[in-house]
Amino acid sequence: MSTSPYHTAGKLVDRVLTERKGLKTVAFSGKKNQQCTNKASYAQACETLRHKALLDAILNHDNGRLGKAVQFDDTRSKGLLYVLLFELLFGKYKNIRGGGKVKRNIIKHEKELRRIKDVVCAERAAACEDGDVTPGGLRNAPVFPRYVRINTLKTTAREVVDTLRADLGGDELKIYADRHVPDLLVLSPSISSQLH
């Protein structure tokens, strides 16, 4: 068993890509998988898969020249390669801990990978910088309002509205009562991030 911090996450990504199942299904189905999947590996696999489209664009830039350079087709564990690329280009520390053949192949081309990442991110309107790596079709998805249920045993609708207006934006904040469900407030979708 490898001691690499990326080994388990690489196995999860491999299984998602080969079995064409969801990450939760792969990570938590069966007793054997639950024992070897920890929170860090799951989170790393999740972030790697979230950035997979960008990683593919980087590897396939210039007719797949970088993919050939890091030996993408010859790598036995493509999941591990994706995880290492994610860590190097988008991870918290922007480097790869540990060692191994796959790391050496990636590090040989680190400057070129970073340069192509900048090019791809510029083409995708800085999606890399603000963390928005969703496919273009999802960016134009319908936006729904934010709903807030009021516990009338503890407070009143008027108190909640006054508190929200005081905390989030004054009188210009659009808040209205739902006409079908009593004690339900409807807020603008733009304030979703401020409610957390």
Side-chain angles (χ1 to χ4, degrees):
M1 181 96 190
S2 172
T3 59
S4 167
Y6 311 112
H7 189 72
T8 308
K11 278 185 174 181
L12 287 173
V13 173
D14 260 342
R15 287 190 58 204
V16 167
L17 296 176
T18 56
E19 296 176 17
R20 306 193 52 77
K21 293 180 179 178
L23 181 59
K24 280 186 179 179
T25 303
V26 167
F28 302 116
S29 64
K31 292 180 182 178
K32 178 184 172 192
N33 296 330
Q34 287 177 346
Q35 292 171 353
C36 70
T37 302
N38 58 27
K39 289 180 185 179
S41 298
Y42 179 79
Q44 195 165 37
C46 186
E47 286 300 308
T48 300
L49 290 169
R50 206 175 126 229
H51 287 78
K52 185 181 176 302
L54 283 172
L55 294 172
D56 283 336
I58 291 166
L59 290 173
N60 294 326
H61 196 267
D62 291 338
N63 294 325
R65 188 176 53 81
L66 268 178
K68 292 173 190 164
V70 296
Q71 299 175 354
F72 181 77
D73 292 330
D74 300 332
T75 302
R76 197 172 47 185
S77 173
K78 295 197 184 342
L80 180 60
L81 181 69
Y82 276 123
V83 169
L84 293 176
L85 283 171
F86 165 77
E87 272 302 306
L88 181 68
L89 300 175
F90 301 103
K92 182 177 180 180
Y93 301 109
K94 307 268 193 269
N95 68 7
I96 302 172
R97 298 174 287 157
K101 181 181 177 184
V102 178
K103 177 189 175 181
R104 287 191 299 273
N105 286 339
I106 291 173
I107 294 299
K108 272 191 239 176
H109 306 284
E110 179 178 2
K111 287 183 182 178
E112 185 68 12
L113 283 164
R114 291 189 190 278
R115 186 184 70 76
I116 297 299
K117 174 202 166 212
D118 293 338
V119 170
V120 169
C121 287
E123 290 172 358
R124 293 180 180 228
C128 306
E129 299 305 320
D130 60 6
D132 179 22
V133 292
T134 56
L138 292 179
R139 280 191 210 115
N140 300 327
V143 180
F144 297 103
R146 178 72 184 233
Y147 295 96
V148 177
R149 186 188 64 84
I150 301 169
N151 184 348
T152 54
L153 297 174
K154 295 187 176 191
T155 188
T156 65
R158 180 81 279 171
E159 289 174 356
V160 172
V161 169
D162 291 342
T163 304
L164 286 171
R165 286 215 166 110
D167 291 346
L168 299 178
D171 293 331
E172 65 271 358
L173 184 65
K174 294 181 181 178
I175 301 175
Y176 57 92
D178 189 85
R179 59 186 157 170
H180 301 293
V181 180
D183 305 321
L184 185 70
L185 296 178
V186 183
L187 299 118
S188 168
S190 62
I191 67 163
S192 256
S193 61
Q194 298 173 353
L195 290 175
H196 295 284

